[in-house]
Amino acid sequence: MTDTGSRAGEVVRGTDGRAVLRFRRVHDEPVADVWSAVTDPDRCARWFGRWSGDGRPGGTVELVLTSDEDGGGAPSTVLVRDCEPPHRLVVDIREGDGEPWELSVTLTPDGGGAVLVFEQVLPDGFSPADAGPGWHWYLDRLAAVLAGAPMPDWEATLAATAPYYRG
């Protein structure tokens, strides 16, 4: 069973008053290694999705989510709003005509390891239950890639985390 305790996301208010789903994960690997796993297209593809394009601030990339469960999907357009290697990445992911998903990753050193803070600004009317289990699973996949561990099972993660995010 997936532990939802310290690895679960929480809803906080951003400085603009909007709801933000925030995850805090501690990794044994150094900041540079976690940064590489998040931003290198080949490493990112192992846990989240493959991207190609201009990854500099103001640039756009095409992202295809990958997983053992579905093998990927249609590409999404990602606008890179901020990129400060190896500590901060802010992007907007747009799928179709909907409101973009505003995402950020911040990395800080923690001894020889790293603290990763992942945030999604929740669009108005969007429930944490609609995103929490998925981000929980993807962040567990990142941890598995970094540690060389088996990938988490989506169905088990969903069953364990969905009640937590429904409140």
Side-chain angles (χ1 to χ4, degrees):
M1 184 164 166
T2 301
D3 168 28
T4 60
S6 65
R7 295 185 356 251
E10 63 177 333
V11 177
V12 298
R13 290 285 162 198
T15 56
D16 60 2
R18 298 192 311 173
V20 176
L21 180 59
R22 177 182 294 155
F23 291 83
R24 181 181 184 278
R25 298 288 182 95
V26 179
H27 296 283
D28 293 334
E29 297 76 18
V31 167
D33 191 35
V34 180
W35 178 260
S36 174
V38 170
T39 60
D40 177 88
D42 292 329
R43 291 190 72 196
C44 187
R46 294 181 6 211
W47 67 275
F48 181 61
R50 178 169 297 283
W51 64 269
S52 61
D54 183 357
R56 295 175 295 182
T60 59
V61 300
E62 292 297 310
L63 170 71
V64 176
L65 297 180
T66 55
S67 74
D68 295 338
E69 316 313 318
D70 62 15
S76 299
T77 300
V78 179
L79 170 65
V80 179
R81 292 181 26 209
D82 188 20
C83 183
E84 301 169 21
H87 298 289
R88 183 139 171 87
L89 177 65
V90 181
V91 301
D92 289 343
I93 297 179
R94 182 173 296 279
E95 293 180 348
D97 295 330
E99 190 173 340
W101 284 31
E102 300 175 42
L103 310 175
S104 67
V105 173
T106 304
L107 294 168
T108 54
D110 183 41
V115 174
L116 179 145
V117 175
F118 172 89
E119 295 180 331
Q120 177 188 5
V121 176
L122 296 174
D124 289 337
F126 198 79
S127 168
D130 295 330
W135 291 127
H136 195 112
W137 182 67
Y138 276 118
L139 293 171
D140 284 354
R141 288 173 57 89
L142 170 61
V145 165
L146 289 167
M151 286 293 186
D153 178 74
W154 165 243
E155 293 298 329
T157 301
L158 180 61
T161 63
Y164 177 83
Y165 292 104
R166 280 196 295 265

